[in-house]
Amino acid sequence: MKYARYSTVIIGSGIAGLYAALKTEQQVNLADGLLLITKSKLGESNSRYAQGGMVGVMKENKKDSTQAHISDTIKAGAGLSEFNTVKFISENSDAVVKDLLKFGVEFDRDENGQFTYTLEAAHSVNRVLHAGGDATGRAIEQALCEQIKKNSNIDVYEKTIAVELLVSNDTCKGVIVFNEVTEEYETIYSSCIILATGGVGQLYKYTTNPSGATGDGLALAYNAGAVLQDMEFVQFHPTALAIDSGECRFLISEAVRGEGAKLVDADGKEFMHKYHPLKELAPRDVVTRANFNERNVYLNAACINKTLLAKRFPNISEKCAQHGIDISKDFIPVAPAAHYFMGGIKTNLHGETAVKGLFAIGEAASTGLHGGNRLASNSLLECVVCAYSVAQYLKSDELKAPKQIDEEIKSAIDKYSDESVFLVEIEVNKDELRELMWEHVGILRSEKSLLTAKEELERLRRGFPRSAKCLNRGEYEYKNMLETAGLIIDSALLRKESRGAHCRTDYPQTNEECIHSHTSLAPTWEREQFCASIASARNAGEG
Ligand code: FAD
Ligand code: SIN
């Protein structure tokens, strides 16, 4: 076992982690240095694949205002968005966009050098900034990675997975990591650990998320004593390309509908008017259920000007062409896929969790912005505002790694350093888990389907009896997937109503009494006693 000490450790190199690393290095007094850890290569993440864009409530966009953005976000959030969070994130949007420009991010502009804004579902005005046409995530991620590589004050561990947080006295004091190349473990002592580990899409058979989205941060935080909130809220995107190719399904951005594309059935007939007055631009959960209900669904983008289509969506055009689809004239086959996780590790606006010294940002966190249904392109905005905010918060203290290491932590470390433990490979049933989550904990759920999922999950758990040390990265991810799937099922059972993306066929109505009521799971409780801690956040300030 190797050992290291750092003032701050950031886990995850998506946009939240990269930007947090740069802002922390810029602003915080880091006596013992800063470490960024990623289980993949630097920048490989969900962030890289973000297409449509990032909300920018810019002062120079006279058609927009923070009030309008707050109102749209809260309306889409289905009664669960927290007003203070939405306001904070909206009001910081202009500042973070301008800060990203300083780091070399280039958003698309018109011939006069002004930002071009697109429209996405449930936004009342065009406010979505984009880059490289439909490659916003890649543009931001690449610019931030360049800065990280140039910055000698930021150490980076790639191909290194965080496997356990070290906690004693309700305080996080470090993390154990496993390098999949050298197969070595390392204990890193730190009094400030920031989880930026992203979402859970890989728990589902059909997803737009690449292979790393296995819910690791949620499982780590839960086992460390943090509170997880609204875990039943998985957002399914209505228009993933309905062609299987590898680990995930390619996304056909909502911005294509924002530019005028229509959803049609196999006979070419439009159908969204049957579901919502905003038709193709109705809130995402509504469009997803409509597409799920109609089954064989296509996107018709032929009504968009051909030159505009090629300029705005070069990647989508190219990807579809690889499958023999010319998007300027052919229908694009689309279907829903798991896309974004609205629940997560409960945090305040500085990213603090219930465990001292443990922070969470980005998709892994639940700040209360998205509520029951995230508004498109609010996620990248949340990533950068919260990364900015955690760095601001940390700036007040000089951060040092802990000096004294207590017994409780030593015993956790021993589980990994004991080389006499010889592990035999156990079968990892990721596909079975993904199938069961899609079938029973997907777009529509019921008590019956959720209990079936719980039973099946127990069977998979019995087949994978690892309590701590695993053999390789794949096993660690599977362990986290099993843990996170269980938490999603438990939360989905607790919410006996339909709201936003959580649609219960046995409770089809929204229960107005549950407005602003979050589900929360705390690890100190027995799993069976995960009773509804429907924490009433009916506080005027937050509502
Ligand atoms: P991620 O970008 O997912 O990064 C997580 C990082 O953590 C990765 O580097 C991963 O390797 C690392 N990691 C995870 N577990 C561990 C571990 N145990 N140890 C070490 N490292 C670990 N949102 C928008 O706002 N606008 C869009 O246009 C948009 N389009 C999207 C399109 C697609 C196809 C997808 C999949 C998502 C899209 N989203 C969009 C959502 C958005 O991209 C994500 O919510 C956001 O990028 C999440 O960023 P993050 O930094 O929190 O996590
Ligand atoms: C998209 O481009 O449709 C994805 C936008 C988002 O998920 O925010």
Side-chain angles (χ1 to χ4, degrees):
M1 170 76 80
K2 288 161 61 178
Y3 294 90
R5 298 171 75 242
Y6 279 92
S7 289
T8 300
V9 178
I10 297 171
I11 304 171
S13 70
I15 284 171
L18 295 169
Y19 189 55
L22 291 166
K23 295 311 290 177
T24 306
E25 191 281 328
Q26 218 176 43
Q27 306 192 52
V28 183
N29 188 348
L30 298 160
D32 294 314
L34 172 63
L35 174 65
L36 178 66
I37 295 172
T38 176
K39 67 180 176 180
S40 321
K41 297 282 287 173
L42 192 66
E44 177 53 42
S45 57
N46 275 9
S47 297
R48 179 174 285 181
Y49 302 93
Q51 292 184 357
M54 179 174 124
V55 161
V57 190
M58 307 306 292
K59 296 210 166 98
E60 53 267 43
N61 184 1
K62 297 298 172 215
K63 292 190 183 138
D64 199 8
S65 65
T66 51
Q67 288 86 338
H69 176 239
I70 293 168
S71 161
D72 291 347
T73 302
I74 288 180
K75 225 187 265 175
L80 285 183
S81 295
E82 300 289 342
F83 178 79
N84 288 344
T85 306
V86 182
K87 183 167 180 288
F88 177 79
I89 289 179
S90 190
E91 287 177 351
N92 278 289
S93 166
D94 184 88
V96 290
V97 169
K98 287 174 181 155
D99 195 52
L100 284 178
L101 302 180
K102 291 190 205 144
F103 282 114
V105 175
E106 288 185 20
F107 291 105
D108 295 337
R109 295 174 188 262
D110 64 17
E111 53 285 358
N112 301 316
Q114 304 300 315
F115 289 133
T116 48
Y117 303 98
T118 196
L119 185 66
E120 287 184 297
H123 286 276
S124 57
V125 296
N126 289 38
R127 62 162 69 94
V128 179
L129 294 165
H130 45 87
D134 55 0
T136 311
R138 194 170 62 209
I140 302 176
E141 176 259 311
Q142 281 178 350
L144 299 182
C145 278
E146 281 308 305
Q147 298 292 330
I148 299 265
K149 284 179 193 156
K150 281 197 290 205
N151 193 321
S152 57
N153 293 328
I154 303 175
D155 290 346
V156 178
Y157 285 4
E158 293 180 296
K159 301 263 177 198
T160 301
I161 183 167
V163 300
E164 186 168 333
L165 295 166
L166 298 169
V167 177
S168 75
N169 298 326
D170 296 327
T171 305
C172 188
K173 298 184 176 166
V175 57
I176 295 181
V177 302
F178 173 74
N179 180 311
E180 70 168 297
V181 180
T182 61
E183 299 194 343
E184 280 180 310
Y185 285 90
E186 182 164 348
T187 298
I188 300 158
Y189 297 113
S190 179
S191 46
C192 173
I193 305 268
I194 303 175
L195 290 170
T197 45
V200 306
Q202 283 287 322
L203 262 62
Y204 287 87
K205 179 175 180 184
Y206 299 115
T207 178
T208 62
N209 294 189
S211 64
T214 50
D216 298 6
L218 305 165
L220 292 181
Y222 182 72
N223 290 323
V227 172
L228 302 189
Q229 176 170 270
D230 294 340
M231 295 288 287
E232 65 275 31
F233 287 102
V234 178
Q235 183 169 63
F236 295 87
H237 197 292
T239 58
L241 183 64
I243 298 176
D244 284 328
S245 58
E247 65 195 27
C248 59
R249 282 191 157 178
F250 182 75
L251 183 72
I252 308 295
S253 174
E254 203 156 272
V256 183
R257 278 174 281 136
E259 297 289 352
K262 301 290 177 205
L263 286 163
V264 294
D265 63 18
D267 298 324
K269 285 209 191 92
E270 292 178 22
F271 56 81
M272 272 311 297
H273 57 277
K274 291 192 284 182
Y275 294 91
H276 199 280
L278 289 172
K279 301 185 209 168
E280 277 75 9
L281 295 180
R284 194 171 275 181
D285 59 326
V286 175
V287 185
T288 293
R289 284 192 293 274
N291 283 1
F292 190 66
N293 190 39
E294 297 281 331
R295 301 288 155 164
N296 289 324
V297 168
Y298 299 84
L299 197 62
N300 177 9
C303 45
I304 304 173
N305 170 290
K306 203 171 167 175
T307 317
L308 174 72
L309 198 56
K311 181 164 177 243
R312 277 290 284 111
F313 305 111
N315 292 300
I316 294 174
S317 303
E318 193 192 320
K319 187 74 181 183
C320 288
Q322 285 168 12
H323 291 286
I325 302 163
D326 175 349
I327 68 167
S328 70
K329 55 181 181 18
D330 300 329
F331 287 175
I332 311 167
V334 290
H339 180 65
Y340 181 83
F341 194 53
M342 288 165 298
I345 307 158
K346 184 176 162 71
T347 69
N348 64 14
L349 293 176
H350 311 299
E352 283 180 294
T353 69
V355 180
K356 198 163 170 255
L358 181 65
F359 297 78
I361 52 172
E363 192 168 335
S366 173
T367 61
L369 174 68
H370 309 300
N373 182 42
R374 177 179 64 103
L375 195 61
S377 293
N378 259 352
S379 168
L380 293 181
L381 176 64
E382 184 190 43
C383 284
V384 283
V385 171
C386 293
Y388 187 89
S389 172
V390 77
Q392 282 283 116
Y393 178 72
L394 294 174
K395 151 169 134 176
S396 50
D397 290 325
E398 186 191 29
L399 290 178
K400 288 189 173 154
K403 284 218 167 75
Q404 296 263 304
I405 303 307
D406 41 49
E407 281 310 311
E408 221 176 307
I409 285 184
K410 277 208 187 105
S411 62
I413 298 168
D414 286 347
K415 291 180 291 186
Y416 298 88
S417 51
D418 184 354
E419 288 181 2
S420 65
V421 179
F422 179 73
L423 300 177
V424 183
E425 196 166 349
I426 308 181
E427 194 189 351
V428 162
N429 285 319
K430 278 189 187 172
D431 285 346
E432 226 180 311
L433 174 63
R434 287 156 50 96
E435 178 85 43
L436 94 81
M437 290 298 284
W438 180 259
E439 282 302 319
H440 303 297
V441 199
I443 295 165
L444 307 178
R445 306 94 188 255
S446 65
E447 179 153 306
K448 188 164 172 260
S449 76
L450 293 167
L451 290 176
T452 304
K454 208 172 157 72
E455 221 176 281
E456 290 290 297
L457 185 70
E458 276 317 311
R459 183 179 56 76
L460 292 180
R461 276 198 175 127
R462 282 195 299 276
F464 190 77
R466 294 267 197 253
S467 57
K469 193 171 177 178
C470 295
L471 201 56
N472 51 40
R473 168 178 162 177
E475 282 198 3
Y476 278 114
E477 288 182 330
Y478 185 54
K479 180 154 82 80
N480 293 328
M481 288 166 80
L482 291 171
E483 177 93 47
T484 308
L487 298 170
I488 293 174
I489 296 167
D490 285 335
S491 250
L493 279 165
L494 287 177
R495 187 172 291 279
K496 295 186 192 319
E497 61 160 349
S498 290
R499 180 179 291 279
H502 174 69
C503 186
R504 293 265 312 237
T505 52
D506 48 349
Y507 293 97
Q509 304 303 328
T510 299
N511 179 355
E512 290 312 327
E513 284 178 16
C514 294
I515 190 164
H516 300 312
S517 296
H518 299 281
T519 46
S520 62
L521 302 179
T524 44
W525 304 351
E526 288 297 314
R527 189 168 291 275
E528 276 68 39
Q529 292 171 340
F530 278 156
C531 52
S533 155
I534 298 215
S536 177
R538 232 178 278 162
N539 170 331
E542 292 175 16

